[in-house]
Every structure is written in C-alpha cells, then in structure tokens.
C-alpha cells in the first residue's frame, strides 16, 4: 500500500516513492528501446481480459502492484502503433521526448482553459509557429484540440457562424430560413459528415463529390453541384477538401478548390489530418499548394508529427469568427488586465472546452527538441518507404497495386481466386503473427491490404517483412494450409 501523509494524496515516504518512479521511467525507456524485439501486436488472452472485469475494491493496491498490473496486463496488449511494424490505419508512433514532456505536463497539472500563465503563452507560441508554417495572416487564430474530428467540427461551426452571424448561437440553424449545404469528396473522412451531424445541419446536407482516378475530388463535378444547389434555392456554405485521404493518401486539388470557394464565397476548410504537416517536408510541401488560401485547416500533431496522443489543431484565418462562435462576450470582455484573470482572450474563448490539458507542452518539446527539419525528414522518409513498397509490389507477379501511391499509403493485394476473402485473412494472419500490422480498405469494390507508413521507426526491413509474410500467407491460402500456423514462419 502507498503510505500517504495525513489527509493528502502525497506519499509520506518521498525517497521510496522516488525509487518507484525511477523504476517506472526505466521500464518505459526499456520498452521503447527494445520495441523492435516484441511482436507488433498480440491478441489478449481471455484470462488477461478477465482481470479487467473486477468489482471496485476498497483495499488499495500498492503503487508497485499497480505498476505490475500495467506491465503484465496492459503494456503487452496495446494496439502497437509505437512499433515500426505497425502500418494499420494512420497512427503516429510517439517519441521518448514526447513521453517525458507528458510526465512534466502531468506533474504541473495546468488547466489550459485560460488565466495569465506561461502554459497558455506556450500554446500561443505554437499557434504562431503553425500560422507561419501555413503562411496565414496575423489575424489568424488557432487551438490545440483532441484531434482532427474535433477540429473539423470547429471548422463547420465557425463557418456556420461566419455565414449566419452570432444570432445563430441563440436561435440555432432552425432560426435561419436558409438551407445550408456543404461539400466534400466521396473519399473524405467520416468525421466531416459527423461534424455536419453534430452541428445540427445534418449529414444529408453534405454532398459527397465524386473522385477522379487519383481519388481526388472532381472539381468539375463540384462546380456543377454547387450551381445546381444554388438554382434549387439552397445555400452552399462550406467545402471540406482533404490533404492526405485516410484510405489512399490522396490530396484534393487545393488551389482549384480555393479558386472556386472564393468565386462562390464558400468557406474553404482543409482536412489535413495527417497530410497538412507535409508542409515540413521540402520535397512534399509543393503538393499542398493552395492550402495557404484556406479559411481553416484541421490537422493532427499525433499522426505524422509523432506527438503522443492526443494532439490535434484547428487554424482559422480570421480568428474573429472563432471568437464569435465560442466566446461568451459577457465573460471575456469583463476579464482583468492584471492578476491571474488577465490575458484575454483565452483558449476557452476559441473552442467548446473550458478545462483543457497541456497538449502544448509535448507538442512544443517535439518540435523544439527534434526540430522542424528532422520532423520533415521523417515525413519524406515514410513517403520514400511507400515508394519502396510500391516497387516491391510491382516486381512481384503475385502482388497487385490497387491505388496510386501519392504519399505514404500503399494499397495492394495478393493475386488469387476469391481474393477479397483471402486478403482479409492475410491481414488477420499478419496481425496475429506479430510480424506486421496493416489494415484493410475497399477500393472500387475490391478489398485491399492497406499499409499506412506513418511511424518514424519504420525501415525497409519492416517493409520487407510485410511483403515476405504476405507472400507466405498467400501461398498457404492457395495450398489450403491454415494461416493460423503463422507464428512458425
Ligand atoms: C485521422 C483522420 C481524421 C480524424 O482525426 P482524429 O485525430 O482521429 O480525430 C480525419 N480526417 C482524416 C483525413 C484523417 O486521416
């Protein structure tokens, strides 16, 4: 049991607590140093799962015992996105520096809703860095949020207020006679529709514009749909373009969409969840051309930026719209000019959350300690690895590429009869083998093995392991051998 000093939760024996703390730090550094020797992922045995079904117990665990529970039942059964062989979905790998910064932030226990404090200044510093990265004007504002789902929602809400005025905050959408419609590509992330739903506009009011053969929004179809909606008496107000689509990594034609948005006076939002940070990579950044014209950009530091979860960002060209959307004037205009209540506007005036964590610290540490250039190199490197994987697929008659490789995502499959089922089985076998963890997606009705190379730790060796194991499992499927014997290969 942890002995605490009377009436507080602090330890009575600080030296003993310090020793245990050092042990916990060492264990996590060991974990990160030796990640590669572990399986990417392993299924959780039922008896381990059962340990999470206990009633709340009145007898406290010791800190040492709680740490043992973590080491034995939690750490080995995480999703594995820190591991270089993890290529499923679009997950960042995290870093040891980010981990240490999280510890500092937790110790400080800052609440970033507002007040006159250095943590808020640090978040403002980050905002300025982001603003200059995307070449936004000084009127711009922004906020760290949980992730791009939240950032997309904020984008929709700010665009709504910019169009309808602050009255909409009292009357709701129903108070306006206008029927708002928004546009995104057919391959856009589900959180765009989610944002329309949560904002009360409704996902039916989101037009999904068809994509071309590169999985980019078809701008001719976009222009036609906007024109038809206007003709029908609807009010087009918002376009969400994607920079780095989650399924294949496509970048919509941002400059052409910016053009159209300007002409039609629509809010131009970019969902750059993972792709926007390619602005840090000199060889990839030119492909984002047009993003600097956006009214708002949503992106994540926790994907390509490698900041530990969670850290998303919303950048808004004209921060006045953001204040109009979220600030309660009664509260923020009455703040002090001195003392702890100075320094308005506060972060809570720019988004829906009042209490907020110190996400800025791990983000600032990551950018400062590694430097933007090195982070950009990681992004370039994952794209180069995707090209390497693409070449391996093209050189092997058993494998087939299913989508163009624009950035760091490669969609392919093993050629065989009943390919949808076999490739789904191959992906499960890969995951269960612990060798690699890709995911699946469906492209034009065909199931693809999807390798999203996001992790800074991934190397050609990990790509080779993925390809070799895929070929092995494919062969087993063709000779009707069960792939569950996978562990033996
Ligand atoms: C990951 C992703 C999202 C959602 O971001 P979260 O940080 O998971 O909320 C939205 N759009 C795209 C294109 C993504 O890749």
């Amino acid at each position: 049991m942890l002995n605490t000093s009377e009436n507080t939760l602090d330890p009575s024996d600080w030296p003993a607590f310090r020793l245990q703390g050092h042990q916990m730090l060492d264990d996590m550094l060991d974990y990160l140093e030796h990640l590669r020797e572990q399986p990417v992922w392993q299924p959780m045995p039922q008896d381990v799962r059962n340990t999470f079904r206990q009633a709340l117990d009145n007898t406290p665990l010791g800190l040492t015992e709680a740490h043992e529970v973590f080491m034995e039942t939690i750490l080995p059964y995480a999703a594995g996105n820190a591991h270089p062989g993890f290529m499923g979905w679009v997950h960042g790998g995290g870093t040891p520096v980010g981990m240490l910064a999280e510890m500092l932030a937790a110790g400080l226990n800052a609440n970033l809703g507002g007040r006159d404090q250095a943590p808020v200044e640090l978040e403002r510093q980050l905002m300025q860095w982001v603003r200059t990265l995307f070449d936004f004007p000084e009127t711009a504002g922004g906020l760290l949020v949980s992730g791009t789902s939240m950032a997309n929602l904020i984008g929709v809400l700010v665009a709504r207020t910019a169009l309808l005025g602050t009255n909409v905050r009292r009357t709701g959408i129903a108070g306006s006679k206008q029927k708002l419609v928004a546009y995104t590509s057919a391959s856009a992330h589900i959180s765009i529709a989610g944002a329309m739903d949560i904002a009360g506009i409704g996902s039916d009011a989101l037009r999904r514009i068809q994509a071309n053969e590169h999985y980019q929004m078809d701008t001719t179809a976009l222009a036609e749909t906007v024109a038809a909606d206007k003709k029908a008496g609807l009010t087009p107000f918002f376009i969400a373009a994607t920079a780095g689509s989650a399924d294949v990594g496509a970048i919509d034609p941002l400059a052409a969409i910016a053009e159209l948005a300007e002409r039609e006076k629509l809010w131009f939002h970019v969902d750059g969840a993972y792709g926007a940070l390619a602005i840090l990579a000199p060889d990839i950044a030119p492909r984002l051309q047009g993003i600097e014209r956006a009214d708002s950009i949503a992106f994540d530091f926790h994907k390509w930026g490698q900041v530990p979860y969670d850290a998303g960002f919303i950048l808004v060209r004209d921060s006045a719209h953001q204040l109009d959307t979220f600030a309660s004037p009664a509260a923020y205009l009455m703040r002090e000019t001195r003392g702890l209540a100075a320094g308005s506007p506060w972060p809570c005036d720019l988004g829906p959350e009042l209490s907020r964590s110190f996400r800025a610290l791990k983000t600032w540490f990551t950018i400062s300690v590694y430097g933007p250039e090195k982070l950009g190199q990681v992004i370039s490197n994952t794209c180069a690895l995707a090209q390497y994987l693409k070449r391996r697929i093209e050189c092997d008659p058993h494998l087939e590429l299913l989508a163009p490789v624009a950035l760091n995502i490669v969609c392919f499959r093993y050629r065989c009869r009943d390919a949808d089922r076999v490739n789904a089985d191959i992906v499960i076998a890969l995951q269960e083998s612990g060798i690699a963890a890709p995911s699946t997606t469906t492209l034009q009705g065909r199931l693809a093995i999807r390798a999203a190379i996001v992790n800074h730790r991934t190397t050609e060796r990990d790509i080779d392991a993925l390809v070799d194991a895929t070929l092995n499992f494919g062969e087993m499927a063709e000779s009707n051998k069960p792939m569950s014997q996978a562990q033996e290969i």
Side-chain angles (χ1 to χ4, degrees), residues 90 146-150 152 189 191 242 244-246 271 273-274 300 302-303:
V90 179
S146 55
T148 294
S149 303
M150 176 57 87
N152 284 336
H189 193 264
S191 59
T242 302
S245 69
D271 174 352
Y274 85 85
D300 283 322
H302 58 218
K303 289 177 174 171

